[in-house]
Amino acid sequence: MTRAILVLTAAGLLLTPTLAGCASKNAATTTVIVTETAAASGTPAGTSGVTVGPLQSGTESGTASPNSSAASTAESSSSSETTTPAAPIVTVDPLKADCAKILNSTEINTALGVSVPAGTNRIVDVANAERKMTGRIKCQYGVAADKSSVAVTLLLAQYTDAAAAQGQISATAETEKSNGAKASTASIQGHPAQVLLRQGGLLIVGYDTWTLSVVVADKTVSDDRLPAALAAVADYSLTKIIS
């Protein structure tokens, strides 16, 4: 059962992961629209101890097939380079993406290698003119029945141009590294991505004039599996968004 909920909240108070440096500095009250899909009965086991990710700021039938190189590329060190060329850019509006059609529970469980709750949320976030961000949405997956935790969050942020998008990727990576994150690189369908591990994991990749970020909450996946899990989720997601 799906229901739409209108939520009024002060910026920055949502219990969702957010990219470092991306949140608006305006503390004025904002309006977000949450489309919430109730978790299916018989929530998969093995989800205890899952916490909201380290970055404080956020089903369709059929399974998309991730690139076979995505997971192995993410496990390589930051000094490794991929020679896989990027496919031609497909122009899409990421802010219109349907979270329920981007990932389903089978794909998430396959990508992570563990079972998470089936609950999902879609949150419409605010723009940030200072960073040339024209809008952002958050897709939350593995939402606990009591809303206390979120296993995976996708953030789709649209910018005025590709340079602004890449600038935000660099700023986020530098902020995370300065806070002690372990950094490496990956390739998502030929597009370079930053992988940052700190009490959970973040992968951020630029595509055209927007960015796709994947946040996996702390203790959802073991640290040694995090890079591959992040890359697999990103690959599944990008395939669906541009298809």
Side-chain angles (χ1 to χ4, degrees):
M1 176 178 69
T2 301
R3 53 177 179 169
I5 306 173
L6 181 64
V7 181
L8 297 181
T9 181
L13 295 183
L14 287 171
L15 185 61
T16 57
T18 294
L19 295 178
C22 287
S24 171
K25 297 179 181 178
N26 187 351
T29 299
T30 59
T31 300
V32 297
I33 299 173
V34 178
T35 301
E36 183 178 84
T37 303
S41 59
T43 298
T47 60
S48 60
V50 175
T51 60
V52 175
L55 308 176
Q56 304 303 318
S57 13
T59 60
E60 180 183 60
S61 60
T63 300
S65 298
N67 281 356
S68 59
S69 63
S72 60
T73 303
E75 292 176 331
S76 64
S77 68
S78 58
S79 62
S80 300
E81 298 293 336
T82 179
T83 57
T84 303
I89 294 294
V90 178
T91 301
V92 298
D93 184 352
L95 303 182
K96 294 182 179 178
D98 183 342
C99 296
K101 292 182 178 180
I102 296 176
L103 289 172
N104 59 45
S105 58
T106 298
E107 291 163 340
I108 294 172
N109 293 342
T110 298
L112 299 182
V114 297
S115 295
V116 299
T120 65
N121 283 336
R122 182 182 190 274
I123 300 173
V124 179
D125 212 344
V126 296
N128 189 324
E130 182 180 344
R131 294 181 173 84
K132 298 183 179 180
M133 180 195 294
T134 59
R136 184 174 68 173
I137 65 170
K138 299 175 186 176
C139 299
Q140 298 177 327
Y141 303 95
V143 180
D146 62 0
K147 310 298 188 296
S148 63
S149 63
V150 177
V152 176
T153 300
L154 300 185
L155 299 102
L156 303 176
Q158 177 70 68
Y159 294 84
T160 55
D161 52 46
Q166 291 299 324
Q168 186 58 58
I169 292 174
S170 297
T172 299
E174 289 306 312
T175 298
E176 282 301 295
K177 285 188 284 187
S178 69
N179 286 326
K182 178 181 178 182
S184 61
T185 60
S187 177
I188 305 302
Q189 300 185 21
H191 302 281
Q194 294 287 328
V195 179
L196 301 145
L197 308 183
R198 180 173 66 87
Q199 295 178 313
L202 162 69
L203 181 150
I204 179 169
V205 57
Y207 188 92
D208 197 15
T209 59
W210 51 278
T211 60
L212 164 65
S213 303
V214 179
V215 177
V216 174
D218 193 19
K219 302 187 188 327
T220 303
V221 179
S222 61
D223 288 348
D224 62 327
R225 287 185 46 80
L226 256 179
L230 288 162
V233 173
D235 192 73
Y236 274 130
S237 302
L238 184 59
T239 296
K240 289 290 190 70
I241 294 166
I242 65 176
S243 62

